[in-house]
Amino acid sequence: MAKPKFQLPCFILFLSIFLCLFHGESSELELDDESWLNEEDNEVIMVQSRHDSRNKCDFSTGKWVYDLSYPLYDSSCPYLSTAVTCQKNGRPDSDYEKWKWKPQGCSIPRFDALNFLGRMRRKRIMLVGDSIMRNQWESLVCLVQGVIPTGRKRVTYSGPSMAFHAMDFETSIEFSWAPLLVELKKGPKNKRILHLDLIEDNAKYWRGVDILVFDSAHWWTHSDQWSSWDYFMEGNGLFKSMNPMVAYEKGLTTWARWVDLNLDPRKTKVIFRSMSPRHNRENGWKCYNQKQPLAFLSHQHVPGQMLVLQGVLRRMRFPVYLQDITTMSALRKDGHPSVYGRVMDQAEKQHPRDFSSDCSHWCLPGVPDIWNELLNDLLKE
């Protein structure tokens, strides 16, 4: 009997279809330098990506939508630092408080303080990082504190950490100062030494916590003038200079090793929040007098810190969740304090450009509230 003429072509066609279905994406995406903005990295768990049988929702892709029902609290919250209470400090506009993030194809649930505290009952949640993570901690505390009676909440301090206690829920929302995660110590002649392979002095405060949210990026990129260290040290080696991204990878690898060796994923959830964008060009005046979000980014740039972070997370055994807030926040140059990080008298208000402009931190209420709505949704899973 003669063999079918199209057996080999049919087999090749079948094999091609099978491979496409198995891999789930075309080779063209692998060549796209900006695909990180749209495609989930299968080796790094992205907080924003939700999957079900019908659709896919990426919380990091969307737009800012004006919503008069925001903000969720006001600047009279007693736990806010003066530097972020832009309304109290005289900022004349308030629309920056009224924008919510609308992801493509889905929505973020509005923050419900009682629901959050109920789920966090008898738990410790700790945010670890720099002053922008402190920014986020103040936001989270203000989001919950309004539903707690005055006598049933308090703040305590221990070393580099502070904790807000919701006493009736036996819940603590904590912040631990560790902008580089690894240890920065004074050495001979009072020189500041950044130990790329030491972490326990900071990490001892992280033990026993149920939910850890980390952030570390900004301090690694400070210029020589603003650098927090004089030398790097790794093992017995002392280095005057090192490529910042090489140093960042070494520091993150030390952190990753500590997480892998010391935490149990059955008891502790670990999240790493991506870099908060700065709008510091033009000597910090890029954000001054900005009153609404950008509709889109004129060019999309992958921060070096993001690439390093993704590489370190891929090599970890512990399931760390990467929460990408970088792109969505890059649209919000209107959300920074600029000159309203302090109260100005009438004479000073006539010459605002005589003062420094903060385009790194965020006014509260504001953008970090949305980060916490995303965090809250993650913690429901």
Side-chain angles (χ1 to χ4, degrees):
M1 181 181 292
K3 293 181 181 180
K5 294 181 178 179
F6 299 103
Q7 186 179 39
L8 182 59
C10 287
F11 173 76
I12 293 173
L13 177 61
F14 172 80
L15 181 61
S16 299
I17 294 172
F18 174 78
L19 289 174
C20 286
L21 290 173
F22 182 79
H23 287 288
E25 60 183 14
S26 71
S27 59
E28 290 179 352
L29 287 176
E30 297 175 7
L31 300 175
D32 184 356
D33 290 338
E34 295 173 5
S35 62
W36 71 283
L37 291 169
N38 302 309
E39 295 298 315
E40 181 180 357
D41 186 334
N42 291 324
E43 298 179 79
V44 179
I45 303 173
M46 301 296 289
V47 170
Q48 289 85 357
S49 296
R50 286 179 159 187
H51 301 272
D52 59 34
S53 59
R54 293 163 298 175
N55 58 26
K56 174 182 176 181
C57 181
D58 182 356
F59 280 2
S60 66
T61 303
K63 62 182 179 180
W64 290 96
V65 178
Y66 193 76
D67 188 332
L68 286 171
S69 70
Y70 281 72
L72 301 175
Y73 60 90
D74 60 45
S75 57
S76 65
C77 174
Y79 302 98
L80 293 178
S81 301
T82 300
V84 300
T85 55
C86 302
Q87 286 295 294
K88 280 187 174 182
N89 294 340
R91 180 166 173 168
D93 62 305
S94 61
D95 280 355
Y96 65 89
E97 299 179 337
K98 298 178 174 65
W99 295 91
K100 71 176 182 181
W101 181 246
K102 178 66 175 71
Q104 289 182 1
C106 61
S107 60
I108 303 169
R110 188 179 178 88
F111 192 92
D112 182 324
L114 283 174
N115 178 276
F116 176 84
L117 289 169
R119 288 183 289 105
M120 295 297 110
R121 187 181 296 274
R122 300 186 185 90
K123 293 185 185 295
R124 294 175 63 194
I125 177 170
M126 178 181 283
L127 282 62
V128 181
D130 56 18
S131 57
I132 298 176
M133 187 60 93
R134 164 74 182 262
N135 215 177
Q136 184 176 354
W137 175 80
E138 292 182 6
S139 161
L140 186 56
V141 169
C142 289
L143 283 167
V144 304
Q145 68 89 27
V147 300
I148 305 170
T150 302
R152 306 305 299 164
K153 54 192 172 186
R154 61 192 176 98
V155 174
T156 59
Y157 301 86
S158 176
S161 300
M162 60 182 71
F164 172 85
H165 300 270
M167 296 158 68
D168 292 332
F169 293 88
E170 300 177 59
T171 299
S172 64
I173 301 172
E174 308 175 34
F175 168 72
S176 188
W177 174 259
L180 298 158
L181 299 181
V182 293
E183 298 176 17
L184 181 64
K185 296 181 175 181
K186 287 291 181 68
K189 299 182 180 179
N190 227 26
K191 294 295 184 181
R192 302 163 300 170
I193 300 176
L194 181 59
H195 294 263
L196 297 173
D197 53 0
L198 297 181
I199 199 169
E200 187 58 37
D201 280 359
N202 295 326
K204 63 186 178 184
Y205 296 98
W206 313 338
R207 298 179 185 274
V209 177
D210 299 284
I211 299 160
L212 284 162
V213 184
F214 290 96
D215 150 65
S216 183
H218 282 264
W219 280 43
W220 294 93
T221 59
H222 287 173
S223 63
D224 291 342
Q225 180 184 358
W226 302 105
S227 175
S228 302
W229 58 83
D230 299 301
Y231 295 95
F232 296 98
M233 193 166 188
E234 185 178 24
N236 294 321
L238 194 65
F239 308 93
K240 179 63 177 175
S241 63
M242 185 181 295
N243 181 295
M245 290 301 96
V246 171
Y248 184 49
E249 182 174 22
K250 290 177 180 291
L252 280 184
T253 300
T254 298
W255 165 83
R257 187 182 304 115
W258 184 90
V259 170
D260 276 340
L261 294 176
N262 291 278
L263 299 182
D264 182 346
R266 295 168 298 181
K267 298 179 179 179
T268 306
K269 179 171 283 190
V270 177
I271 297 145
F272 207 110
R273 196 209 70 212
S274 70
M275 182 179 185
S276 171
R278 293 175 289 188
H279 299 94
N280 278 337
R281 285 175 296 170
E282 299 179 12
N283 296 319
W285 290 100
K286 194 70 176 178
C287 70
Y288 174 66
N289 210 27
Q290 298 298 314
K291 296 181 179 179
Q292 61 182 13
L294 297 171
F296 58 90
L297 297 175
S298 58
H299 66 283
Q300 295 171 334
H301 171 66
V302 184
Q305 293 92 330
M306 176 70 89
L307 298 176
V308 171
L309 175 59
Q310 288 178 333
V312 171
L313 295 184
R314 286 191 193 101
R315 297 192 292 271
M316 294 180 69
R317 295 191 303 272
F318 195 101
V320 176
Y321 295 81
L322 174 58
Q323 182 183 12
D324 180 8
I325 56 85
T326 304
T327 305
M328 62 185 289
S329 305
L331 297 169
R332 292 302 308 276
K333 62 181 181 178
D334 61 308
H336 300 289
S338 187
V339 297
Y340 301 106
R342 56 186 285 275
V343 178
M344 292 187 289
D345 60 33
Q346 289 301 317
E348 291 174 328
K349 288 179 181 178
Q350 304 304 312
H351 305 282
R353 283 187 172 266
D354 291 345
F355 304 94
S356 60
S357 176
D358 179 0
C359 296
S360 296
H361 300 93
W362 301 92
C363 295
L364 290 178
V367 172
D369 302 331
I370 307 302
W371 302 347
N372 284 323
E373 286 193 314
L374 291 170
L375 177 63
N376 174 49
D377 196 56
L378 162 68
L379 297 179
K380 290 179 181 177
E381 299 176 5

